[in-house]
Structure formats: structure tokens, C-alpha cells
Amino acid sequence: MSRGTRVVRLTKQACEVFLTVVEDGEERPGAARRVESPREDYVTGPDGQPLLGSDGQQWQRIGVDPWPGSTAAYARLLAGLAAEYGIVWHPEADGDEPLASALLLPVLDDLPPERHRVSSVREVDLAGLVDRTPPERLRSAMAAQLARLASETGADAHPEIERALERIRRNEPVDLPADGALDLRMRTLAAETRAARGLLEAARRGSDPAPVTKADLAAWAVRSSAAGALREFLLLPLPDAAATILSRRLSVRRRDDLAEDLAG
């Protein structure tokens, strides 16, 4: 989730600002620094100590920035952010609108390199099917099942998934690089599902209705599930991917569909 990101955090405490930099999820201690912004109207000597008048009061200048701190110090801080990190911020341009935020997509869970092989899926003898079906015919049938799953969940409405399914149908390789278009689509579907679930859970704890319904969550969930089956088809051994694809089909005709796809 933090890959390729840089976060600069400013924390104000009294007359000081602490600047912390986080890159790729790791804090950079060498980049942290403290920016002091003392009252500019107080007069200090060469040693930095306050200069006091005969009455014991600290001397003050007229016409400079008073508490809570030095505008000049903040100006230098903002100039440094622009020069070092390319972050440009104009405080005077701030209004009541919230600051824009980056869209942080979740990182998909790693697929296990090995897992217990499933022998039966929803009344389908998967172990027997794998044993008696030639690998190419099995792959073709599972590709067809995957396309059916994408169609009945609406996942194939996304062009990245549609293109991947078409390449699979033509028996062409499909790349799934990190942060590529297909990877980002899968992660976006996962993020949408997570967001919808969070909104419903928050509504259950509060008094305001959620902006989404259970039907909305179900629709997002099955699309994300279909995208996950596609990911397994691309990355896992075919029998493992087949177990996921067959378990996630929605149609009541799924067994007839499978027989049809196996027949070619």
C-alpha cells in the first residue's frame, strides 16, 4: 500500500514544527528536522537569550509577527518543501474544502505457493476431472468457465478484465505486473468492496443510513471475487484455479455449462 509513496508529515507543538518524511512505508530519520518559529517581536542577544529592560520586561520590536510564531519561519519551511519534495502549498488559498487525498489501493494478498488440493467442488469430482481430462482441454474448459463467471458477475464490463479474458480465449499470454492496468483494476475492485462493507458496518453503529445497500455490497463482492479467480488462473496451477472458479459460479446451470465447456 505504501509502495512508491512519499509522505511529509508536519506536527505543530507550541512554537515548533516537527517535519517527518516517510518513503515506501519506512520513516527516514535523516530527513526529520525541527523548525523553530519563536516570537519575532521578542529581542534576543547574540547568545540567544532574551534582552530585558530596566523593569525586567523582555524587549519587543514593533511591526513584526507576534505569537504563535514567525511567519518567516513558516515561509522558509514551505519553500523547503517545494524545493526538496516538490510539495507546493499556499496556505492563503485554503478554504473550507477538504484537502485532496491520494487514493491508496489495498495490496492483494499473496497467493500461497502450495495448498491442499481440493478433490470435490460443489458436487463436481474435481480430482477425477483433472485425472481424465487432457491438460489443454481442461485449460480451455476452465477459461470458458472463467469467462462465464466474469459475465454473470459483471466483472467483464471492465476493459482490463475483458482484454485479459480475450487473450486467454486465444491462448495468448496475459501479463499481471504490479501496478499494471489489470493489477490496478483488481485492487480497485477489492477497495470498492472494502469501502462498501465499511459503510454498512458504520451505519449499523450509527443513526444515519448508509449510502450503499446490502445489494450494492453483494454486487461489488462478486465482481471482486471473479477478479480474484482470474488472478488465480494466471498465477496458480490449473487444478487450484479450477477449484476457485467452479466454487464461485453463480448460475444454476453451472453443471450443464461445465459439461458443455468440457465437450468443447
Side-chain angles (χ1 to χ4, degrees):
M1 192 164 125
S2 301
R3 183 175 58 234
T5 64
R6 175 189 289 144
V7 177
V8 177
R9 180 176 60 224
L10 303 178
T11 306
K12 182 79 166 65
Q13 294 183 4
C15 63
E16 294 179 330
V17 173
F18 295 92
L19 184 146
T20 309
V21 178
V22 178
E23 285 188 321
D24 296 329
E26 299 291 335
E27 188 169 323
R28 290 177 47 198
R33 67 176 182 268
R34 178 179 299 175
V35 180
E36 296 185 358
S37 58
R39 287 184 62 148
E40 287 190 341
D41 59 341
Y42 282 157
V43 179
T44 58
D47 59 357
Q49 296 301 311
L51 295 179
L52 304 180
S54 58
D55 58 357
Q57 294 294 315
Q58 186 173 355
W59 287 3
Q60 290 182 266
R61 298 187 181 93
I62 297 176
V64 291
D65 293 324
W67 183 262
S70 161
T71 301
Y74 294 137
R76 290 192 296 270
L77 170 64
L78 296 179
L81 292 179
E84 295 179 45
Y85 305 108
I87 298 173
V88 179
W89 177 48
H90 301 291
E92 68 277 3
D94 272 0
D96 296 331
E97 299 81 7
L99 292 175
S101 176
L103 173 63
L104 299 179
L105 296 176
V107 174
L108 301 175
D109 293 335
D110 291 334
L111 295 176
E114 295 182 6
R115 61 184 180 185
H116 177 70
R117 187 61 53 84
V118 176
S119 60
S120 178
V121 180
R122 300 175 73 177
E123 301 179 355
V124 173
D125 179 12
L126 181 59
L129 181 64
V130 171
D131 288 341
R132 65 175 179 267
T133 307
E136 287 303 314
R137 174 61 58 83
L138 181 63
R139 185 184 185 282
S140 175
M142 288 305 109
Q145 287 285 297
L146 181 61
R148 293 179 189 273
L149 174 62
S151 176
E152 63 196 12
T153 60
D156 61 351
H158 300 288
E160 304 87 355
I161 292 179
E162 182 184 29
R163 285 193 294 269
L165 292 172
E166 179 59 23
R167 291 186 67 86
I168 290 171
R169 188 188 66 81
R170 298 199 300 260
N171 203 26
E172 297 175 354
V174 178
D175 294 328
L176 186 59
D179 295 329
L182 183 57
D183 175 68
L184 291 177
R185 174 57 61 190
M186 292 177 174
R187 292 164 60 193
T188 299
L189 288 170
E192 290 171 341
T193 304
R194 182 181 299 181
R197 184 176 292 111
L199 289 171
L200 287 173
E201 291 176 354
R204 282 197 294 268
R205 296 191 297 268
S207 57
D208 296 330
V212 296
T213 65
K214 291 182 178 179
D216 294 327
L217 173 59
W220 270 305
V222 294
R223 282 197 295 268
S224 182
S225 177
L230 169 59
R231 182 169 176 250
E232 292 194 17
F233 184 87
L234 298 176
L235 300 179
L236 291 184
L238 185 57
D240 294 335
T244 298
I245 295 168
L246 295 177
S247 69
R248 296 181 183 178
R249 284 292 314 279
L250 302 181
S251 173
V252 295
R253 294 191 67 258
R254 60 184 180 275
R255 297 190 67 184
D256 293 336
D257 291 340
L258 178 59
E260 180 182 328
D261 294 336
L262 287 168

